[in-house]
Amino acid sequence: MRDIRHFVNGSAFEGASGRFGEVFNPNTGEVQARVQLAMAGELDLAVQAALKAFPAWSATNPQRRARVMFEFKRLVEANMQDLAEMLSAEHGKVIADSKGDIQRGLEVIEFACGIPHALKGEYTEGAGPGIDVYSMRQPLGVVAGITPFNFPAMIPMWMFGVAIAVGNTFILKPSEKDPTVPVRLAELMMEAGAPEGVLNVVHGDKTAVDAILQHPDIKAVSFVGSSDIAHYVYSQGTLHNKRVQAMGGAKNHGIVMPDADLDQVVKDLSGAAFGSAGERCMALPVVVPVGKAVADELRERMVAEIDTLKVGLSNDADAQYGPVVSAAHRQKIADYIQIGKDEGAELVVDGRDFSLQGYEKGFFIGPSFFDGVKPGMKTYQEEIFGPVLQMVRADSFEEAVELPSKHQYGNGVAIFTRNGRTAREFASRVQVGMVGINVPIPVPVAYHTFGGWKRSAFGDTNQHGMEGVKFWTKVKTITARWPEGEIGDSSFVIPTMK
Ligand code: NAD
C-alpha cells in the first residue's frame, strides 16, 4: 500500500510516530493509501527546518520571492491534469471541479506574484520639522496553516501563497482525508526555486494540530474547517500568544425575489447546492423564495432539474458530481435527511437510495430536496455539507433579510432579483460576510478577501488579498529625524505636533 509521507526541508520525511490514517478511494470505498500522522516530535523537526530557512528567505528581496511564485504558477499549470486527477481520486469531486479548485488557488498565487507592490510601505515626508515617518511590513517568522478536506489545493494556496511571498516560512497541516495534492504542491514549490524548509507539510490529526497550537516558535496560525474546531483553534492558538484566523462552517441562503429570472435561478441553484456534492463552504443549501407563487413554481422546476442531474464516478466527464469524501460523512448526511423528515419538513426528493451500479461500496448519495423547512428545525440550524437543498418559504423581503441575518453562520448569501434597489438594500443590511447579487457562489476574487461573519469565522482578518498580507506580516513604523545645527534640550514631555 502507498504511504503518504511528510515533506520537510525539501524532501519526503519518514515520521517515527507509528501512527497512520486511512485514505479512501471514495468511488470504490476502498482504502487506497495510508498517511502518516505526526506527533509533536515530527512537527518540531518541521519547525526547526522552517526556522533555519527563515533568515535567508525573509532577506530575499520581494521581487525574487515573486519570481518563485511565477515559476510555481507555471509548474502547477503544467501539471494541472495530474494534480486534478490526484485530487479527484481522494476527494471525490469531478475532474472539472478539481481543476477549478486548483485554479482558484492559483489565482491567489497570481496575487502573490505582485507581492513587491503589496509590501510597499507608507511614507510621510515632513511629518514634523525635518521629520519623516515611514512604515514597513515584515514577515512574522515560522507560520502554519491547517486546512479542510474540501479544497485540498485552493485553501493551502490561499494561505502559503501569501505567507511565503511576504517572507515567512510555512508548515502546512492539510486534511488527513486527501493529503496527496498538498505534498505535490510543496514539491512543485521547491522545483520552482523556493529553498528547502520554506514550505513543509506535516500530516496529522488533532495531535498534530495541538502540537502546532502549542509550539512556541510558530507565530501565526490560519485555520479553515468546521466551526467548533475553528473556535477551539482560535482560543487555544491565541492562548499560546499566536496570531490566529479561523474560518468555520456555513449555511448559505439564496433569496429568490418574485421578479427573479427563474430559468437562471434554477440552473444557479442546482450547481451551487449540488456541485461538489454540496461539500463547499460557499454552497447554497438553503433557498428562500419570497411569496407563494414563486415558491410553488421554483419547487416544480427544481424537481424537474434535479431529475436531470447525473451522479457518477469522480472521473466521469458527464457526471455533475461524484461521491462524498467518506462513509461516515455519507452516513451523517443520510441521518440529517431522516432528522429533517422527522422534524416535519417535506422530503420532496430523497437521494438516500442512490447507488452506482458496480460501485455499490462507493460513498455516493443522490440529490435531496426539502420543502416546508422552518427556522426552528435542527436541519436548518446546522450545516449538513451534502447534496441537500432546503426550501424555507418567506412571505416578505423583510423576512428574507432576517433569515440569513439571524442564522448562527454568516459566510455567504445570494439574492436573485432584477431590481437594483432591492439588491442594494439587501447587500447593505444582511448580516453575512460575502454577498452575491445574481451570483450564486460569491467567492471573492483573489485580490479581494474571503471571510464570513458570526460562527463562520473567528479572528479579525480575512484570507488573501491585502487582508492576507496584513495577517502574515507585522508593521514597523519609523520616525526619522536628521538634526542639523545646535543640539536641542532634553524634553521630558511626550513629543506632540504643534
Ligand atoms: P474539520 O473541521 O473536520 O477539519 C479541518 C482541519 O482540522 C483538518 O486539518 C483536520 O485534521 C483538523 N481537525 C479535525 N479534528 C480536529 C480536532 N478535534 N482538533 C483539532 N483539529 C482537528 O473540517 P473538514 O470536515 O475537513 O472540512 C469541512 C468543514 O470546513 C465544513 O464545516 C466547511 O464549511 C468548512 N469550510 C469552511 C471554509 C471557510 O472558508 N469558511 C472553507 C472550506 C471549508
Side-chain angles (χ1 to χ4, degrees):
M1 177 152 323
R2 183 167 63 98
D3 266 1
I4 301 166
R5 292 178 290 172
H6 310 294
F7 185 85
V8 174
N9 208 25
S11 49
F13 165 62
E14 196 75 48
S17 73
R19 297 173 67 237
F20 295 90
E22 292 177 323
V23 178
F24 287 89
N25 175 344
N27 290 307
T28 62
E30 286 161 3
V31 177
Q32 58 170 317
R34 56 176 205 168
V35 59
Q36 299 189 335
L37 301 178
M39 307 273 280
E42 281 112 338
L43 187 262
D44 185 55
L45 285 173
V47 174
Q48 296 313 321
L51 273 174
K52 199 165 130 241
F54 179 70
W57 182 244
S58 57
T60 301
N61 73 53
Q63 207 157 352
R64 280 184 181 228
R65 292 198 302 255
R67 284 186 193 136
V68 173
M69 293 296 158
F70 273 110
E71 181 59 6
F72 176 69
K73 172 179 143 60
R74 194 192 66 74
L75 287 170
V76 172
E77 280 167 348
N79 286 275
M80 179 64 88
Q81 186 65 27
D82 282 358
L83 285 164
E85 284 171 15
M86 254 176 229
L87 194 158
S88 167
E90 288 182 358
H91 177 286
K93 65 175 82 171
V94 294
I95 301 279
D97 198 31
S98 301
K99 287 183 179 168
D101 184 333
I102 298 162
Q103 180 56 33
R104 286 308 296 244
L106 272 185
E107 290 170 14
V108 175
I109 302 300
E110 286 169 351
F111 170 78
C113 289
I115 212 69
H117 180 67
L119 282 177
K120 283 190 301 190
E122 294 174 327
Y123 188 90
T124 304
E125 183 195 12
I131 296 176
D132 304 322
V133 178
Y134 57 98
S135 66
M136 53 178 75
R137 293 203 157 268
Q138 295 189 329
L140 304 172
V142 178
V143 297
I146 302 164
T147 54
F149 81 83
N150 70 322
F151 279 100
M154 176 184 81
I155 295 178
M157 284 193 265
W158 278 1
M159 297 176 182
F160 73 66
V162 181
I164 289 178
V166 300
N168 297 293
T169 52
F170 202 87
I171 313 282
L172 173 64
K173 205 303 284 168
S175 170
E176 64 277 37
K177 292 181 184 136
D178 44 12
T180 296
V181 166
V183 174
R184 187 71 192 117
L185 292 176
E187 287 170 355
L188 293 175
M189 186 60 88
M190 298 300 114
E191 213 176 309
E196 291 169 356
V198 166
L199 175 57
N200 307 278
V201 182
V202 173
H203 302 292
D205 51 12
K206 182 177 189 308
T207 306
V209 171
D210 285 338
I212 289 172
L213 296 175
Q214 289 162 19
H215 201 294
D217 290 320
I218 294 181
K219 301 298 177 202
V221 176
S222 179
F223 173 91
V224 176
S226 51
S227 287
D228 286 347
I229 299 174
H231 186 254
Y232 171 77
V233 166
Y234 182 73
S235 50
Q236 284 301 305
T238 49
L239 191 67
H240 289 87
N241 301 320
K242 296 178 199 319
R243 189 179 285 195
V244 184
Q245 56 176 194
M247 277 61 191
K251 191 85 176 185
N252 306 324
H253 295 52
I255 313 300
V256 184
M257 296 304 292
D259 65 351
D261 174 352
L262 278 197
D263 292 337
Q264 190 61 52
V265 168
V266 167
K267 294 288 175 202
D268 284 351
L269 268 181
S270 174
F274 303 116
S276 194
E279 294 172 315
R280 290 184 186 137
C281 68
M282 288 297 273
L284 263 194
V286 179
V287 57
V288 183
V290 177
K292 184 172 182 327
V294 68
D296 290 346
E297 190 176 345
L298 189 61
R299 169 179 165 151
E300 200 183 312
R301 292 207 203 181
M302 238 13 258
V303 171
E305 181 69 19
I306 289 171
D307 202 39
T308 68
L309 294 183
K310 181 175 179 202
V311 182
L313 293 178
S314 66
N315 58 4
D316 176 349
D318 295 329
Q320 265 90 29
Y321 73 85
V324 298
V325 73
S326 67
H329 191 50
R330 192 199 172 285
Q331 189 57 48
K332 185 177 146 193
I333 297 164
D335 290 349
Y336 267 122
I337 294 171
Q338 188 56 45
I339 294 167
K341 259 186 101 169
D342 294 347
E343 61 189 356
E346 183 191 354
L347 184 55
V348 184
V349 180
D350 185 350
R352 285 175 296 179
D353 289 338
F354 177 87
S355 101
L356 195 66
Q357 209 182 355
Y359 294 88
E360 287 77 8
K361 293 203 169 125
F363 309 142
F364 295 96
I365 185 161
S368 295
F369 179 38
F370 277 105
D371 193 358
V373 175
K374 304 283 182 219
M377 292 178 177
K378 178 180 166 70
T379 49
Y380 171 77
Q381 289 299 333
E382 296 179 7
E383 181 183 42
I384 298 175
F385 218 55
V388 182
L389 178 63
Q390 297 169 284
M391 187 188 274
V392 183
R393 293 171 177 240
D395 290 330
S396 64
F397 173 74
E398 286 302 316
E399 212 183 306
V401 179
E402 215 167 79
L403 281 163
S405 296
K406 287 196 166 162
H407 202 279
Q408 63 163 332
Y409 294 117
N411 215 37
V413 70
I415 184 166
F416 300 92
T417 179
R418 289 185 165 101
N419 185 317
R421 202 170 331 132
T422 305
R424 186 173 185 275
E425 186 179 343
F426 180 80
S428 162
R429 285 175 52 193
V430 73
Q431 297 299 300
V432 172
M434 292 171 281
V435 182
I437 296 174
N438 299 314
V439 171
I441 305 184
V443 177
V445 290
Y447 44 95
H448 282 259
T449 73
F450 183 105
W453 288 8
K454 296 179 281 184
R455 276 180 53 77
S456 292
F458 304 92
D460 54 15
T461 40
N462 280 359
Q463 297 280 350
H464 61 71
M466 284 311 291
E467 289 263 310
V469 173
K470 281 186 186 161
F471 181 75
W472 297 115
T473 55
K474 52 194 175 193
V475 185
K476 184 179 283 177
T477 310
I478 292 104
T479 303
R481 182 167 68 126
W482 300 99
E484 55 179 1
E486 284 177 22
I487 296 170
D489 292 337
S490 308
S491 172
F492 298 95
V493 178
I494 179 91
T496 57
M497 280 305 151
K498 303 231 170 37

